Amino acid sequence: MINGLFWLLGCQVLGEIGVRLLHLSIPGPVLGMAILFALLSWRRPRASASVFRASDGLIKHLQLLFIPAGVGIVTMFGQIGHAPLPLLGGLLVSWIAGLTVVGWLASWVLRLTERTSR
Amino acid sequence: MFLTIAGYRLGLEVQKRARGHALAQPVLVAVVAIALAMWALDVDYAHYLNGASVIGFFLGPATVALAVPLHRQAHHLGRMLIPMLIALPCGALVSIGTGVLIVRALGGSHALQLSMAPKAATTPVSIAVSQTIGGLPPLTAVLTIIAGILGAVAAPAVLDLARVRDRRARGLAIGAVSHGIGTSRALREHSTEGAFSGLSMGLTALVISVLTPIVLMIL
């Protein structure tokens, strides 16, 4: 568990350093995720490795980590109360648009590539 | 800290009792319970956050950990590469763009537009992106969670209406807009759908964090 956390935090630190050195506008942990993915593809650790145990543990309870931010919304009721229409409208429309665009594009490209490979 | 864990336990319990009903999300239940407890005990948010900051610390490593499910799906990457390279960035562009533009058209402030932009990414990423671009991270967190719940409740029906029948395409679409919460519903629909939803959620997190600042510069 500690060893696994060491790898996760190590990748996060590398990510933070990389983001600052390269002046990227992505969050450090996201670059850390890309670094860990590259490491995993390269080293191919066995399924019982501590990185996997630590990661599975964290991901299983991922939702717990959002709760403090969620509680924060209580302090922001003012802002939402002023603008429920833009927020709800934007959320609904962009959610439906994103879902259908990905669904259509993916099935269209899948049909194309599978027809040409046959 | 104790309040947060207790609220989460309560949320998990409610979810089990409700047999995984889409609306019985542990996060929602916990947030409501904690807010009520804070009101009853007269604790303010700054005070609460002081105790709960330990939990926020783990958002970083948890984001890094998302590389693991991505790694487990890596054998799918080859054949699905082209469909994903086309569909996911387009989907991200559409969901960032329409989100910002509609909030603007309906009269939302600049901060609200920025908070809406990254909401299709999984929560730790959307919070981090919101922070980077100057949105309101707590608001982004809530919008993200609601987008996830929308996916768990309505995504299969919307995809039926849109006549998307390929399991792989359906999975990609759900993961691209409703991250982990949507993925849990996709898994219950079909295992292929769930696997692709998880894959899509990991890649979308990457794509959203790269594209959001660029799209905002253009809009």
Side-chain angles (χ1 to χ4, degrees):
Chain A
M1 187 73 198
I2 293 297
N3 199 21
L5 262 183
F6 166 80
W7 280 102
L8 293 179
L9 285 172
C11 289
Q12 187 186 350
V13 169
L14 280 180
E16 303 276 7
I17 294 173
V19 163
R20 252 162 249 179
L21 283 182
L22 303 169
H23 301 288
L24 299 175
S25 53
I26 64 173
V30 175
L31 184 59
M33 171 174 110
I35 294 173
L36 180 60
F37 180 73
L39 274 176
L40 290 174
S41 317
W42 174 47
R43 298 283 306 268
R44 303 196 165 276
R46 65 208 143 72
S48 61
S50 55
V51 200
F52 290 144
R53 262 180 296 143
S55 298
D56 289 338
L58 272 175
I59 291 173
K60 193 167 162 230
H61 292 292
L62 200 53
Q63 295 195 307
L64 166 66
L65 308 181
F66 314 144
I67 292 175
V71 175
I73 204 69
V74 175
T75 63
M76 308 181 63
F77 267 140
Q79 263 148 330
I80 296 185
H82 285 308
L85 184 68
L87 286 177
L88 286 179
L91 184 66
L92 257 181
V93 174
S94 81
W95 180 79
I96 293 176
L99 185 74
T100 46
V101 163
V102 175
W104 280 334
L105 272 177
S107 34
W108 179 64
V109 178
L110 273 168
R111 241 174 297 155
L112 274 185
T113 51
E114 273 159 17
R115 194 176 300 155
T116 49
S117 67
R118 216 169 278 154
Chain B
M1 176 78 189
F2 168 73
L3 217 53
T4 309
I5 303 278
Y8 181 59
R9 280 281 319 148
L10 181 71
L12 285 179
E13 205 58 44
V14 169
Q15 189 183 39
K16 207 162 38 175
R17 291 277 159 81
R19 297 212 182 78
H21 188 277
L23 277 176
Q25 289 296 329
V27 181
L28 272 189
V29 174
V31 167
V32 171
I34 293 167
L36 283 175
M38 279 168 64
W39 174 72
L41 301 172
D42 199 22
V43 181
D44 65 0
Y45 184 60
H47 201 84
Y48 163 78
L49 208 56
N50 206 10
S53 59
V54 188
I55 293 174
F57 164 79
F58 282 100
L59 274 174
T63 307
V64 176
L66 290 174
V68 169
L70 204 57
H71 171 70
R72 290 199 181 118
Q73 297 297 325
H75 56 279
H76 285 305
L77 277 169
R79 211 155 27 96
M80 292 297 290
L81 198 62
I82 298 170
M84 285 190 307
L85 278 182
I86 295 173
L88 294 184
C90 289
L93 282 178
V94 167
S95 74
I96 300 166
T98 52
V100 171
L101 290 178
I102 285 166
V103 174
R104 188 181 296 167
L106 295 176
S109 70
H110 191 57
L112 295 190
Q113 295 168 27
L114 293 178
S115 310
M116 179 67 74
K119 61 110 186 31
T122 185
T123 316
V125 175
S126 76
I127 291 174
V129 172
S130 180
Q131 212 151 29
T132 319
I133 60 177
L136 308 162
L139 178 57
T140 301
V142 170
L143 291 172
T144 307
I145 292 169
I146 297 175
I149 294 172
L150 264 178
V153 176
V158 173
L159 287 170
D160 286 342
L161 273 179
R163 296 172 182 213
V164 178
R165 297 206 183 84
D166 189 299
R167 291 286 177 196
R168 295 164 297 174
R170 289 171 70 96
L172 287 182
I174 294 175
V177 291
S178 291
H179 48 92
I181 303 177
T183 299
S184 64
R185 171 70 194 262
L187 269 170
R188 238 180 311 142
E189 296 282 306
H190 194 276
S191 61
T192 313
E193 208 167 305
F196 281 99
S197 181
L199 183 61
S200 163
M201 144 184 137
L203 290 170
T204 297
L206 264 177
V207 173
I208 292 264
S209 53
V210 174
L211 284 183
T212 306
I214 301 172
V215 173
L216 287 173
M217 244 185 309
I218 299 167
L219 289 178

